[in-house]
Amino acid sequence: MFFGHLGVSLPDILQKIGLILFIYTIGLQAEVPGFFDSFKEQGKNLVIMSVVIVLSAAIIALLAIVILDIEKPIAIGLMAGALTSTPGLATAIDVTHSPLASIGYGIAYPFGVIGVILFVKLYPKLFRINITKEEEDYETKSQSLYEEITRSHFVVENEGAIDKTIEELRVRSMTKGVISRVLHKGKAFTPQNNTVLHKGDYIKVVGSKEALKRVELLIGPEVDVEIPLGAQYMIQSFLLTKTELVNTPLGELNLLNNYNASVTRIRRSGIDLSPSPSLKLQMGDKLMIACSKENTLQISNLIGDNKSKLSDTNFFPLALGIVIGILVGGVSLSFGNSITFNLGLTGGVLIVAMILGRVGKTGHVLWVMSGNSNQLLRQFGLMLFLASVGTKAGSTLVETYSQYGIKLFLIGGVITLLPMILASIIAKLFFKTNALTFLGTITGSMTSTPGLAAIDTMTKTNAASIAYATVYPIAMVLLIICAQLLGLFF
């Protein structure tokens, strides 16, 4: 902003490139895993807070028209600028047929950017929130969405299990547990489906606590025995980097029959997942596998297990996904003769990225990318976007203030700050939302990419990004509807 005030300017294309890269990588990151689980878990509360923010902004704009006698196009432009919504500005211009909407937008936009950044930065201090504790709470809650994977040993004693094969007992389908080791007459080995369980055999089972309880009912009591691996066996983690295996159900690898190996757990984005045969594999999954040493090389070749491949980025799927997002954002829907709606550049790219992140792979095209590549592109896009936004805001700030005085600035500031304060009170009193999730909801509802970028520097979790992606499309649609209603009826 300082250099913008001094006359430094950057090409508009840099802002668009930066915005597209930042939003696209945010959309991909929202589903690893996270967005859909987050929406099921707390989507209703986040949407309510988003609706409160947008509707309160629209009400303030309406009061400015009715009570303060602000011209309608300027008031609607103030609302769009205070919520930093370019689609909202486009709607305001279209519905009012007046360039005054751009003036209102230009007056409110600088503080719309700065105000959200200041709010998210000061919020933890004002409300005495420990960000580290909020991160820990978020991680704990994220883990609780998935059953904790643990292990126990059991002795074969139940009459119904004696002299039966693992396949006959249907251990995995009946209990959701995985038998990774068997100890028979002092000899430990990795079992296969046709392995017979004899009375007095010991088995090692990996699964959730509920799964282990079911194993105890099916096989026999839990015992305090440690089954040795044996000289020829080992447990090793393998990194899935074979692109052709993405979206492949784990059961199709047939590791048990082909390599006498058993997957005990799968770690994805810091979360341990139960290795059910129907679980679809994703790039970067870490598979914990119990197998003989002689088969490790073959399993490694099958899985990929190449860390350097995670840093490789195929730019064709990236470019194709972005182009699809731009095209989707440009599609307009008409309702009657006067109301039109489109997702806009940001909305189209975000929604397409979230869908492609969920799909993972189409044919040979891999849509997702590694965490390191995603982070690099996100930061690069953010740098371009903020540099362009800052210089633009700084170039007009003093002149706009000189021309229109402080009144419109104050109204724009109220439209920016009051909805966020109101949402903070509601979140505290009724929802008790995690602070990082709440701040992500604030930035998504205010359609503020710089605000989200400010939160990114405060935390290592993706809590804010998931909340942002959850509410952003809803907030954008609602803001456009409010701009249409204010322009048509007031």
Side-chain angles (χ1 to χ4, degrees):
M1 290 182 68
F2 175 72
F3 282 100
H5 174 65
L6 296 181
V8 175
S9 62
L10 297 174
D12 289 342
I13 190 64
L14 289 184
Q15 179 177 338
K16 290 185 178 179
I17 291 173
L19 178 64
I20 288 170
L21 285 176
F22 184 78
I23 289 296
Y24 188 79
T25 50
I26 283 290
L28 289 181
Q29 187 71 16
E31 182 46 37
V32 270
F35 169 74
F36 291 94
D37 293 318
S38 172
F39 194 85
K40 291 175 187 176
E41 178 73 13
Q42 54 185 354
K44 180 182 175 182
N45 294 345
L46 301 189
V47 169
I48 289 173
M49 285 188 283
S50 178
V51 170
V52 166
I53 288 173
V54 177
L55 286 184
S56 58
I59 290 171
I60 297 170
L62 176 60
L63 293 176
I65 296 170
V66 176
I67 298 176
L68 301 178
D69 202 28
I70 303 297
E71 292 184 66
K72 182 168 66 175
I74 290 180
I76 301 174
L78 285 171
M79 179 183 72
L83 271 64
T84 64
S85 173
T86 306
L89 172 62
T91 303
I93 294 173
D94 183 59
V95 75
T96 61
H97 306 290
S98 170
L100 292 177
S102 298
I103 294 175
Y105 181 88
I107 291 172
Y109 183 84
F111 188 77
V113 174
I114 299 169
V116 177
I117 294 175
L118 288 175
F119 184 87
V120 299
K121 285 289 188 182
L122 295 175
Y123 180 84
K125 296 178 181 178
L126 293 175
F127 289 89
R128 298 180 181 178
I129 291 170
N130 187 329
I131 291 296
T132 302
K133 184 178 182 302
E134 294 297 312
E135 287 180 321
E136 292 172 355
D137 291 346
Y138 175 78
E139 294 290 353
T140 301
K141 192 167 185 179
S142 296
Q143 291 282 356
S144 69
L145 295 175
Y146 303 88
E147 293 182 291
E148 182 184 358
I149 306 300
T150 185
R151 59 188 177 85
S152 289
H153 295 81
F154 303 88
V155 61
V156 181
E157 283 191 0
N158 293 350
E159 291 297 328
I162 296 173
D163 295 331
K164 296 284 182 66
T165 66
I166 292 175
E167 186 174 26
E168 288 174 329
L169 292 172
R170 295 161 52 202
V171 175
R172 180 168 288 189
S173 61
M174 291 288 289
T175 68
K176 308 302 181 186
V178 177
I179 300 179
S180 62
R181 305 287 291 157
V182 172
L183 182 65
H184 175 66
K185 293 183 179 181
K187 181 180 179 182
F189 58 93
T190 301
Q192 299 187 18
N193 284 334
N194 60 0
T195 297
V196 178
L197 299 182
H198 303 281
K199 186 173 183 177
D201 284 354
Y202 294 101
I203 63 171
K204 178 181 178 181
V205 183
V206 178
S208 66
K209 291 181 179 179
E210 291 300 318
L212 297 180
K213 288 179 182 178
R214 290 190 286 266
V215 170
E216 186 170 7
L217 293 174
L218 180 66
I219 304 294
E222 184 177 351
V223 291
D224 188 17
V225 172
E226 189 68 33
I227 299 178
L229 282 176
Q232 72 275 32
Y233 285 99
M234 62 186 302
I235 296 178
Q236 183 174 324
S237 65
F238 295 85
L239 200 62
L240 190 134
T241 57
K242 279 280 184 72
T243 56
E244 53 265 39
L245 293 182
V246 173
N247 278 357
T248 300
L250 177 62
E252 289 189 12
L253 298 184
N254 206 11
L255 294 175
L256 192 60
N257 291 331
N258 293 336
Y259 304 102
N260 193 26
S262 178
V263 180
T264 60
R265 70 185 71 192
I266 295 175
R267 191 162 182 83
R268 179 182 299 170
S269 299
I271 296 172
D272 286 329
L273 304 177
S274 180
S276 66
S278 60
L279 180 68
K280 291 187 177 181
L281 300 170
Q282 296 296 331
M283 193 72 165
D285 282 353
K286 185 179 287 187
L287 283 69
M288 295 297 296
I289 300 178
C291 61
S292 63
K293 291 181 180 180
E294 62 184 18
N295 286 330
T296 55
L297 182 59
Q298 293 172 291
I299 294 173
S300 179
N301 291 333
L302 173 69
I303 303 295
D305 203 31
N306 185 353
K307 290 183 180 179
S308 64
K309 198 166 184 181
L310 285 181
S311 62
D312 295 339
T313 301
N314 186 346
F315 282 94
F316 171 71
L318 174 69
L320 182 59
I322 288 172
V323 169
I324 294 172
I326 294 171
L327 294 175
V328 169
V331 174
S332 295
L333 301 176
S334 297
F335 303 93
N337 297 323
S338 56
I339 298 178
T340 59
F341 166 76
N342 64 51
L343 292 171
L345 179 67
T346 308
V349 170
L350 177 64
I351 288 175
V352 167
M354 288 166 61
I355 292 172
L356 294 180
R358 182 72 169 178
V359 171
K361 187 178 76 167
T362 305
H364 294 291
V365 178
L366 184 67
W367 301 111
V368 295
M369 63 180 72
S370 70
N372 290 338
S373 299
N374 185 293
Q375 186 69 12
L376 177 62
L377 286 174
R378 184 195 298 193
Q379 294 300 324
F380 178 67
L382 180 60
M383 178 186 68
L384 295 179
F385 177 73
L386 289 182
S388 184
V389 167
T391 52
K392 281 184 179 178
S395 66
T396 59
L397 189 60
V398 174
E399 289 146 3
T400 309
Y401 176 80
S402 301
Q403 184 175 356
Y404 293 99
I406 198 170
K407 182 178 180 181
L408 295 182
F409 275 100
L410 290 176
I411 295 172
V414 170
I415 296 176
T416 295
L417 291 176
L418 193 57
M420 293 191 292
I421 294 171
L422 184 60
S424 300
I425 295 171
I426 291 174
K428 277 284 184 183
L429 293 179
F430 300 105
F431 299 139
K432 297 180 180 178
T433 307
N434 180 279
L436 296 170
T437 297
F438 170 71
L439 292 177
T441 304
I442 286 286
T443 56
S445 303
M446 301 292 289
T447 67
S448 175
T449 307
L452 177 62
I455 305 171
D456 256 3
T457 64
M458 296 162 55
T459 177
K460 296 178 181 178
T461 71
N462 61 353
S465 299
I466 290 173
Y468 178 95
T470 302
V471 302
Y472 178 91
I474 296 164
M476 184 180 56
V477 171
L478 186 58
L479 179 61
I480 290 173
I481 292 173
C482 287
Q484 294 273 9
L485 293 176
L486 287 174
L488 292 173
F489 300 111
F490 298 100

